[in-house]
Amino acid sequence: IQEDLEKIVEKGGDEIIVSTAMEALGTLRGKDAAWLALLAKYAEKPKIEVKNAALRLLGKSGDAGSVPVLAKALDDPNWSTRMAALNGLEALRTAEAVGAIIARMEHENGLMAQRFADTLFRLTGRPYRMAAAAWKSWWETSSASFKPISVAELSKLKEEEEKRVLKQSSHVATFFGVRILSRRVI
């Protein structure tokens, strides 16, 4: 089966089929160094689905050596590629990943800026939300000794955040009850 999947990926063709074959290969090959090197090459490909699948798999691998590839993808013009890279960096949970996210955050807006802020909160527990300058300032003083927060710490912080949000009484834009975070809805 692995050889057949590798042939599908090598041959190229339909992006959806190739990315699905890559996902299956990721399950079979895991953290194999040759596989991770191949994924790094696929993360440079112009086909969006293939690139995004490679980025997702690099994040799932848990290999901290993938941070530079994922960080580079944060500058991609396609939002879905930036999102795949962001998710991959979050999965790695390293200080280098946090630095890369903070460096890119000032260039994001709307829903993507919110996703970056949410990811940073889940990794650091810091309440700076979408204030890119505050993140940058904090990072300059904390990067040397930073370690991502544990899942237990994150759960406690989420509870506190939910209580704080419930106490706020501000009006937010909604569409059929769904909060609007984007600036361009249509």
Side-chain angles (χ1 to χ4, degrees):
I1 292 177
Q2 183 173 328
E3 290 174 6
D4 294 334
L5 291 170
E6 288 172 352
K7 286 178 186 175
I8 291 170
V9 172
E10 287 172 18
K11 186 178 175 184
D14 184 72
E15 288 182 61
I16 306 278
I17 293 171
V18 172
S19 64
T20 304
M22 288 172 67
E23 296 278 352
L25 276 171
T27 302
L28 295 172
R29 294 187 69 177
K31 291 184 177 185
D32 174 28
W35 172 241
L36 295 178
L38 189 59
L39 287 175
K41 288 181 183 177
Y42 282 116
E44 303 278 332
K45 297 287 184 182
K47 292 185 176 182
I48 292 171
E49 290 296 327
V50 173
K51 182 188 312 187
N52 293 354
L55 294 169
R56 282 191 301 272
L57 290 167
L58 286 170
K60 285 180 186 178
S61 75
D63 179 42
S66 300
V67 170
V69 174
L70 292 163
K72 182 179 178 186
L74 287 177
D75 292 328
D76 195 273
N78 183 282
W79 72 268
S80 68
T81 299
R82 292 194 314 273
M83 193 68 200
L86 181 66
N87 291 338
L89 287 168
E90 181 178 3
L92 293 178
R93 299 190 66 78
T94 65
E96 296 81 13
V98 171
I101 296 167
I102 289 172
R104 175 63 195 177
M105 187 172 179
E106 67 184 331
H107 303 288
E108 297 294 342
N109 59 51
L111 184 58
M112 283 301 290
Q114 183 67 51
R115 296 295 184 243
F116 273 66
D118 292 345
T119 299
L120 286 170
F121 175 76
R122 288 190 298 269
L123 291 171
T124 68
R126 299 291 173 197
Y128 304 127
R129 294 186 186 76
M130 295 186 356
W135 282 110
K136 197 172 192 176
S137 176
W138 170 78
W139 188 246
E140 288 171 359
T141 61
S142 303
S143 61
S145 61
F146 175 76
K147 297 212 183 319
I149 64 172
S150 70
V151 175
E153 290 174 305
L154 178 60
S155 292
K156 183 179 175 186
L157 288 171
K158 280 183 178 180
E159 284 179 29
E160 291 171 6
E161 179 74 3
E162 286 176 16
K163 288 177 186 177
R164 187 193 60 74
V165 169
L166 286 174
K167 288 180 182 178
Q168 285 183 338
S169 60
S170 62
H171 181 72
V172 294
T174 61
F175 180 73
F176 290 98
V178 177
R179 184 174 174 206
I180 306 279
L181 298 174
S182 296
R183 292 193 177 147
R184 297 182 184 113
V185 177
I186 296 175

